Amino acid sequence: MRLPYPRLRRQESVHDYVGVLVPLEEAHLHSHSARSGRCEFEEARTSSDDPDTEEAEGRPKDSDNEQAGMLQMSAAEYTIEGLRSEVRKGQKQHRWSEYELKSKLINKAIQDIGMGRYNWQLFVLCGFGWFADNLWMQGVSLVLPSLSEEFGVSEKQVRYTTSSLFAGLCVGSFVWGLGADIIGRRIAFNVTLLITSIFGIWAAYASSWPSVCVLFACMGTGVGGNLPVDGALFLEILPDSSSALLTLLSVWWPIGQLVSSIFAWYFITNLPAEEGWRRFVMTIGIITFVMFLIRFGIFHLFESPKFLLSQGRQSEAVAVVHGIAHRNKKKTWLTEEILDAVADSEDTERISTRVSATSIIKQNLTSFSISHIRPLFQTRRLGMATLLIWFCWSTIGLGYPLFNAFLPQYLSHGGSESPADDQGIGSYSATPAETYRNYAIISVVGVPGSLLAAYTVDHKSPFLGRKGTLAISTLVSAVFLFFFVAFGKTPNSQLFFTCVESFCQNIMYGVLYAFTPEIFPAPVRGAGTGVASFLNRATGLVAPILAANVPGDGTKTPIYMSAFLILAAFVGMVLIPIETRGRQRL
């Protein structure tokens, strides 16, 4: 299958990056340990195979001679036998697949290259996906009062607008999550923002409420693919020593909410209802299109080496590693010959994963099946982790929008017990300017939550790490949802409780988006995260329907439901049997 654009069909070659390769004998001079001042010693011949014992015996103190350590590093680790031993550490009596061994070796090569210009550029570009996700999710929430006023739709009924968005998000997360494992991360990475921008801008010209809903649904098919695709791509080129950056990537999420709230505050409060929301939607649509142009037109993105390896395109995977080294102005020792030699052993299980170009269309049809999901349950531990993480995504997917998707409506009541008249049209206690100002403040408070999450996910405390940080932030989120209903009787008290809620939820989502792809091995990482994202969006689709049909005025029951669901997610998180802090990714 030929792709229409050279930028999309270009194949990487090691010949494009002359000068980055160093002999294996000199690899220790360009290793991560050499840069960090830590030394890796040759294993004692009589030592056990226990990785913990080796680590205890193999790490010198800071006062040891650094040059001697580097010389021993060269003898012990950067030889074929040394690398064979290195990539087989971790699980006794385990029959490693060829993909697993080569994947771990690519991890080591990327770790030795380290963070550099390419990684930081990709941090920004992948951040665009997080940014766009919340830019539009919050954007739709912010226009609900204006849609209600312009089209004469009741406050409860207009909540179905959010259902249309989540319908598109469901389709987008499922299709692009699984599609990224089939057609590659790079194509999905670029196309998702293009789809989002086209339909987002188009929505600003909608002439009726149903047409707004349809266009928001189409827009959702693009924005729904951002997080599973961007997270998988960034994870697979991230050095293990910088794994906290995947959590820090979520800082773009509250920034998207902040930008959305600021533009809504400006346009919606200063222009007539029928004009303000259109200018607002047009503006964030243009912002999304500019982000697409930067991704596609300015930046040359490498395909994920893990994806290429899983497709049998080993030479391209090695070339991508060379390309990253070239972009970062570093050296690498990785070659195809080293990959083959290290994986060539009697204890290696050889599984062919090559996909021919002529069968790509057939694979697109057959891979969207249960056979593509089955590897997620190949062990009891992985299967339990998969089910629990999907449960967490589902409960949060239903609970989060029951509160956040209608937050502008809740804030506009200002704690009032009577939000609507007999026709269901709102009689609000807070002015639009106050409502959107408070929403902007809440958005600002969410940003440091993501920063704190990036610090705590790698903390050595038994109460923190991925699971601990995730569980604590989720529990606090549930508690403050109860507080919002019980004690949020004034605009100021609502603002306080919602600020705490926003801070904790950004920690929760930041860790969840980083933790989820780390659980799954790369060949099915897109599928695992895609299904998780799909369940999140699918349950989110139900939230507006529940909120629009609950008995009473619809201002308390949805929030109580949200609190109980978030609390259920906390229980699921505590039971997840995997902690990925410090663990090497496949």
Side-chain angles (χ1 to χ4, degrees), residues 508-524:
M508 176 186 73
Y509 261 116
V511 179
L512 190 61
Y513 275 117
F515 184 45
T516 301
E518 288 180 336
I519 290 176
F520 307 118
V524 288

Side-chain angles (χ1 to χ4, degrees), residues 262-561:
I262 289 174
F263 280 114
W265 185 10
Y266 175 76
F267 287 114
I268 295 178
T269 61
N270 290 304
L271 295 172
E274 66 276 5
E275 183 181 356
W277 76 268
R278 296 179 187 276
R279 293 279 187 93
F280 165 62
V281 170
M282 171 69 74
T283 301
I284 61 177
I286 292 173
I287 291 173
T288 307
F289 186 69
V290 170
M291 292 190 295
F292 159 74
L293 291 178
I294 294 173
R295 276 187 175 186
F296 183 74
I298 298 177
F299 183 77
H300 172 59
L301 176 72
F302 295 121
E303 181 57 89
S304 161
K306 301 287 185 66
F307 168 76
L308 294 171
L309 187 64
S310 70
Q311 298 296 296
R313 295 155 65 182
Q314 178 173 293
S315 62
E316 292 179 67
V318 172
V320 166
V321 175
H322 284 219
I324 295 172
H326 175 78
R327 200 79 68 87
N328 289 354
K329 301 186 184 302
K330 300 290 179 59
K331 304 291 185 181
T332 185
W333 44 266
L334 187 69
T335 64
E336 282 196 80
E337 291 74 20
I338 291 175
L339 274 176
D340 290 334
V342 170
D344 186 17
S345 179
E346 293 181 358
D347 65 345
T348 302
E349 182 180 357
R350 298 191 176 277
I351 302 175
S352 176
T353 56
R354 178 174 294 276
V355 180
S356 65
T358 57
S359 65
I360 187 68
I361 297 178
K362 179 180 178 181
Q363 185 186 26
N364 270 274
L365 297 174
T366 59
S367 292
F368 288 93
S369 64
I370 195 65
S371 63
H372 203 66
I373 305 298
R374 190 175 293 115
L376 296 169
F377 301 91
Q378 61 186 354
T379 67
R380 181 178 180 181
R381 185 164 176 257
L382 179 59
M384 182 176 294
T386 297
L387 289 176
L388 285 171
I389 202 71
W390 285 354
F391 171 78
C392 293
W393 277 99
S394 299
T395 51
I396 291 174
L398 180 55
Y400 179 86
L402 279 172
F403 178 70
N404 294 76
F406 314 114
L407 185 55
Q409 292 181 336
Y410 298 143
L411 293 175
S412 67
H413 301 154
S416 170
E417 295 289 340
S418 302
D421 59 21
D422 294 338
Q423 286 73 43
I425 305 297
S427 303
Y428 305 137
S429 300
T431 66
E434 290 174 331
T435 299
Y436 288 104
R437 179 207 63 191
N438 289 350
Y439 200 83
I441 294 172
I442 293 165
S443 302
V444 171
V445 173
V447 175
S450 296
L451 299 176
L452 180 62
Y455 170 75
T456 57
V457 290
D458 282 327
H459 200 281
K460 295 182 180 180
S461 168
F463 301 104
L464 296 176
R466 267 68 161 171
K467 280 182 59 178
T469 302
L470 187 58
I472 292 171
S473 60
T474 304
L475 177 61
V476 176
S477 294
V479 169
F480 272 83
L481 282 171
F482 286 115
F483 285 174
F484 182 91
V485 179
F487 305 111
K489 304 301 183 182
T490 66
N492 288 338
S493 61
Q494 285 188 337
L495 178 61
F496 171 74
F497 292 130
T498 311
C499 282
V500 177
E501 182 71 19
S502 176
F503 180 80
C504 293
Q505 284 187 347
N506 276 285
I507 296 176
M508 176 186 73
Y509 261 116
V511 179
L512 190 61
Y513 275 117
F515 184 45
T516 301
E518 288 180 336
I519 290 176
F520 307 118
V524 288
R525 180 168 292 136
T529 56
V531 171
S533 185
F534 167 76
L535 292 172
N536 180 263
R537 309 304 196 183
T539 52
L541 173 63
V542 178
I545 299 174
L546 289 176
N549 291 280
V550 293
D553 57 30
T555 60
K556 288 187 176 181
T557 305
I559 304 176
Y560 277 126
M561 294 171 63

Side-chain angles (χ1 to χ4, degrees), residues 43-251:
E43 295 178 305
R45 298 299 180 188
T46 59
S47 67
S48 69
D49 293 331
D50 188 348
D52 296 331
T53 304
E54 292 172 356
E55 182 177 356
E57 295 176 354
R59 297 289 186 188
K61 298 179 180 178
D62 293 339
S63 58
D64 291 341
N65 183 279
E66 182 175 332
Q67 185 62 33
M70 289 176 64
L71 290 173
Q72 291 184 355
M73 227 173 21
S74 174
E77 190 174 357
Y78 290 100
T79 63
I80 297 300
E81 289 302 321
L83 291 172
R84 281 178 177 171
S85 175
E86 178 73 17
V87 299
R88 287 168 171 80
K89 288 181 180 179
Q91 297 183 36
K92 294 181 180 180
Q93 309 298 326
H94 178 70
R95 187 171 178 82
W96 298 97
S97 70
E98 183 178 359
Y99 167 80
E100 289 174 323
L101 295 175
K102 291 181 177 180
S103 180
K104 293 179 75 173
L105 200 60
I106 287 178
N107 281 350
K108 184 170 183 61
I110 291 176
Q111 172 81 339
D112 284 345
I113 294 171
M115 286 293 294
R117 179 183 177 185
Y118 180 79
N119 306 79
W120 287 113
Q121 288 175 335
L122 196 58
F123 175 82
V124 175
L125 295 176
C126 287
F128 286 173
W130 264 252
F131 178 91
D133 185 86
N134 221 17
L135 181 77
W136 285 101
M137 283 188 62
Q138 303 306 323
V140 171
S141 300
L142 288 162
V143 301
L144 294 183
S146 298
L147 294 176
S148 181
E149 183 175 348
E150 178 179 352
F151 299 114
V153 184
S154 70
E155 181 181 336
K156 277 191 172 183
Q157 187 179 3
V158 81
R159 293 177 178 179
Y160 286 110
T161 310
T162 309
S163 288
S164 65
L165 170 65
F166 272 92
L169 293 174
C170 288
V171 175
S173 60
F174 185 77
V175 170
W176 292 114
L178 291 179
D181 290 336
I182 302 167
I183 62 175
R185 293 12 173 177
R186 182 166 58 177
I187 296 175
F189 182 78
N190 286 307
V191 173
T192 50
L193 279 185
L194 177 62
I195 294 173
T196 303
S197 62
I198 290 173
F199 288 103
I201 293 173
W202 194 353
Y205 295 96
S207 58
S208 65
W209 179 58
S211 62
V212 171
C213 294
V214 170
L215 290 170
F216 278 161
C218 294
M219 179 269 294
T221 62
V223 77
N226 281 319
L227 299 189
V229 173
D230 296 6
L233 177 64
F234 188 68
L235 177 69
E236 290 168 5
I237 60 89
L238 189 65
D240 289 333
S241 60
S242 303
S243 59
L245 284 178
L246 187 60
T247 302
L248 185 61
L249 194 63
S250 67
V251 75

